[in-house]
Structures are given as C-alpha cells and as structure tokens.
Amino acid sequence: MSAASSTTGGSSGGGSDATPTAAAGVVSGGGGGGRRKSRRMTGANPYDPFFSADAKLVGSSSLISSHNTIEPTDKVFIRPPPMPSVHTDGRGEVWNLKVGSYHVDAETYSRRINLSHTKKDVMRHGDFHPNTQCAFIFSGKVEVWAPGSEGDTEKKVYGPKDYIEVPPYVPHIYNYLEDTIMAEWWEDISTGEGAHFKHWFYAPYRRMVDVSFVKTTAGEKGKLRVFREVGREDVLDRDLLSGDSGIPKKTNWVSLLGAAAAVGAIGFVAGVSVAAKKS
C-alpha cells in the first residue's frame, strides 16, 4: 500500500426499491426525483486497466492492500473536520454538523452529517470507506461512478429525492452534473448506527478528482471555519444580559430561520433513511 497526500481540500433519503447497480456497486433508492440512468464507460480509458486487478478486491477489506490504495497523510484528511464547521472552496461548501449520537464499546460518539452545496462540473470523493456511505439529494443531479463487476467503471445518475448508498470498500466518484444540494452520512453496516469517519483514497479515481479540483479552484486551498457550540450556559447568560428571561432584545431572525431550516432538513433525511431500512 502506497502512502501519499492529496492536493484536494476537504472531503466534503430512502426508497423501497433498493437494487445494486453492479456486483459490488452502488445501491439506489427510489423517491420521485430525477430519471436514473446506468451506463458503462466507453472508448479508451487509461484508468480501466487498474480495475482488472482490483475487481475481485472491491467490496472487501482486501482492497486496502492494493497498490492503488493511498493512505491519507495530510492532517486535513487523517481526521475529519470538527463539528460544527464549514469548508468552502471553489467547488462549493460542506457543512459538518452534529446530529444525535451512537455507541461503540460502551462509548458515546456524536453522529456526523454533512450538508453540501456543490457546483456543476465538479467531482468529489475518489475514495472508499470501511462503512456504508449514505446520501440524499434535495436538488440537482449527481452521476455516481463505481467499479463494475467486470473491472470497468459504471455510472449512474441520481436526481432530487433520490437516496444513494455506497457499500463498504467500494471506490466511488460523485460527478456533479448540476448545482446540487445534498446530505451525506456514514453508518455501520452491522448495526445501522452511525460510524466513525475513515477513508482511503483510490488512486485511479482520486487523480481525476484532483484534476477537477485544480481546474475548478485554480489550485487555491479551501477555508475551514469552526464554530463554537452554544451550550445552555451561554443561552442563560444571553438572557440575563437582555434584561429578561425571554428572547434577547436584538434577535437575528435570519439566523434563526436558517437554523430552523437546517434542523428540518436533518429531520427529513433521518426519517427517509429509517423508512428505507424498514422497507
């Protein structure tokens, strides 16, 4: 397994008719949304020869041993961004949010969900995870690339209200065909609960994502803003300063409405995910 760092900054609902697009591939959920298409890459592709050797490894932890697997070494990629925070660059923005919790070996961890806006003609990811990556599209259109059963790349298009599920150890690229708003989260395949974020880059895909990043951002690194969480003590202090126990005298209604919208979006995604698992 080779070790190298990437130049790209930041990594950045459900249906009842989930079916795999390939032997190791992506699971999709219905929902209303865009018309979905599945097709194979055509013509000469310099990346496809890599898959012939890795095809039998895709979907299992053995893929980590492939010479095409890159262990991230840049500190930006070794540890996921703190929550809450937002990463912005020429591709768009990714909000790293905390919602609920999950348990591993009697320890409690905060559950991560990313809400992102990505511009048209941008690529993200080019990696794989030891857990299930889930996504729900609110608006826009995304083409998901993943290795097919014959060592090539298969592509599938998803639109509004579509649910995407990438199984563990399956390399993937998200190719944004339109400006897109979506949510992403990670789950343990055995428990269905939240899971620690961990990933490896898959060189044939990551190179393409890096090229897209340089083309979109002119190589300019993104910016990460970390927000301080507001605890109960902060709220009480603010109320005392306002002179009463109600709403402070100066209220930022735009921020309140934005926060309410974010909470509603997270609740909607969680509900759709639960419905997909029950169906």
Side-chain angles (χ1 to χ4, degrees), residues 11-12 76 79-87 94-102 108-115 184-186 194-198 224-231 266:
S11 293
S12 98
V76 174
R79 183 173 299 174
M83 303 174 287
S85 65
V86 58
H87 181 276
V94 179
W95 290 80
N96 306 281
L97 304 177
K98 182 189 301 184
V99 52
S101 60
Y102 63 96
T108 301
Y109 300 91
S110 297
R111 189 162 187 165
R112 173 183 297 272
I113 186 169
N114 290 352
L115 296 181
E184 293 180 275
W185 64 101
W186 294 264
H196 298 321
F197 180 90
K198 168 69 177 175
L224 178 68
R225 289 184 60 196
V226 179
F227 302 96
R228 184 173 67 89
E229 291 189 69
V230 178
I266 292 172

Side-chain angles (χ1 to χ4, degrees), residues 6 8 22 25-26 41 45-51 54 58 63 68-70 123-128 144-149 151-155 166 169-174 200-213:
S6 170
T8 304
V26 180
M41 296 180 69
N45 185 342
Y47 299 100
D48 276 357
F50 287 104
F51 301 146
D54 291 334
V58 171
L63 184 62
N68 289 313
T69 294
I70 301 173
M123 286 184 170
R124 290 192 188 270
H125 299 306
D127 58 359
F128 62 90
V144 179
W145 300 17
S149 58
D152 56 0
T153 290
E154 292 189 352
K155 302 178 180 181
V166 182
Y169 303 106
V170 174
H172 52 279
I173 288 178
Y174 284 6
W200 295 267
F201 295 132
Y202 187 65
Y205 281 172
R206 190 64 186 184
R207 291 190 192 105
M208 302 173 80
V209 172
D210 284 346
V211 169
S212 169
F213 172 78

Side-chain angles (χ1 to χ4, degrees), residues 25 27-28 35 45 75 108 126 139 150 184-185 189 210 230 238 271 275:
V27 175
S28 65
R35 182 181 178 185
N45 185 342
K75 64 180 181 180
T108 301
S139 65
E150 299 177 7
E184 293 180 275
W185 64 101
I189 191 171
D210 284 346
V230 178
R238 186 181 63 178

Side-chain angles (χ1 to χ4, degrees), residues 8 30 48 50 66 80 103 109 150 162 167 171 178 180 190 212 233 237 249 264:
T8 304
D48 276 357
F50 287 104
S66 168
H103 308 279
Y109 300 91
E150 299 177 7
D162 279 342
E178 297 178 359
T180 301
S190 60
S212 169
E233 295 78 7
D237 290 342
K249 292 179 180 179

Side-chain angles (χ1 to χ4, degrees), residues 7-24:
T7 60
T8 304
S11 293
S12 98
S16 58
D17 60 339
T19 55
T21 65

